[in-house]
């Protein structure tokens, strides 16, 4: 069951990266632009490549690498001693959820424009939380 859950995450993460995390607009009269992880990275790459690289690491590479490593652990391709590394990757993967939440809170607090959360934010958060739960449920065999 744990292996199936991790395999599902390998499929759901790319969907979550392309799903709308939020919709933002300057004034209520104009349409809202949908922002996904990928569109945010592309936009950020044009202005700040260093920050875009950090976002790629925390939002894409860390969660996906952790899921792949956990799947390798569960199928016996990775030794039980590697479990602390998986826990560390799980903490890195949660950093992006905090950052997205912070950006939404700041944008709403400023009061300029409008920000609405999209279904992709829930999917992405669910993927990260499911990954953490699967990681916690995977106990090294004695």
């Amino acid at each position: 069951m744990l292996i199936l859950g991790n395999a599902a995450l390998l499929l759901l993460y790319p969907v979550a990266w392309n799903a709308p995390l939020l919709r933002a607009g300057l004034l209520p009269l104009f349409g809202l632009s949908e922002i996904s992880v990928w569109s945010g990275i592309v936009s950020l790459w044009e202005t700040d490549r260093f920050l875009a690289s950090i976002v790629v690491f925390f939002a894409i590479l860390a969660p996906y690498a952790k899921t792949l490593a956990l799947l390798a652990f569960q199928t016996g391709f990775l030794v039980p001693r590697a479990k602390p590394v998986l826990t560390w990757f799980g903490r890195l993967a949660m950093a992006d959820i905090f950052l997205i939440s912070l950006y939404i809170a700041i944008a709403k607090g400023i009061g300029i424009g409008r920000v609405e959360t999209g279904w992709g934010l829930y999917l992405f958060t669910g993927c990260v939380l499911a990954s953490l739960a699967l990681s916690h449920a995977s106990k090294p065999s004695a």
Side-chain angles (χ1 to χ4, degrees):
M1 186 63 149
L2 296 175
I3 293 172
L4 189 60
N6 273 307
L9 283 176
L10 291 176
L11 298 174
L12 287 174
Y13 268 126
V15 173
W17 296 329
N18 290 297
L21 294 175
L22 55 96
R23 290 176 289 285
L26 186 56
L27 297 173
L29 301 176
F30 300 108
L32 299 175
S33 299
E34 288 188 343
I35 300 168
S36 67
V37 171
W38 278 118
S39 68
I41 290 169
V42 169
S43 176
L44 193 55
W45 187 260
E46 296 170 1
T47 58
D48 190 344
R49 291 185 180 193
F50 178 72
L51 186 56
S53 300
I54 291 172
V55 171
V56 166
F57 178 77
F58 283 115
I60 295 175
L61 296 179
Y64 212 72
K66 180 201 174 229
T67 303
L68 283 171
L70 187 57
L71 190 59
F73 171 76
Q74 291 169 339
T75 56
F77 288 106
L78 197 61
V79 295
R81 290 188 315 235
K83 185 127 178 11
V85 175
L86 297 176
T87 304
W88 185 75
F89 266 117
R91 289 184 183 127
L92 289 178
M94 279 304 294
D96 57 327
I97 299 297
F98 169 73
L99 290 175
I100 292 168
S101 302
L102 184 63
Y103 295 148
I104 292 171
I106 289 170
K108 286 187 174 209
I110 292 174
I112 300 174
R114 201 168 81 187
V115 177
E116 299 174 357
T117 56
W119 64 271
L121 181 62
Y122 299 105
L123 177 61
F124 190 59
T125 303
C127 286
V128 172
L129 293 175
S131 180
L132 285 172
L134 290 168
S135 177
H136 183 67
S138 297
K139 302 287 185 220
S141 57

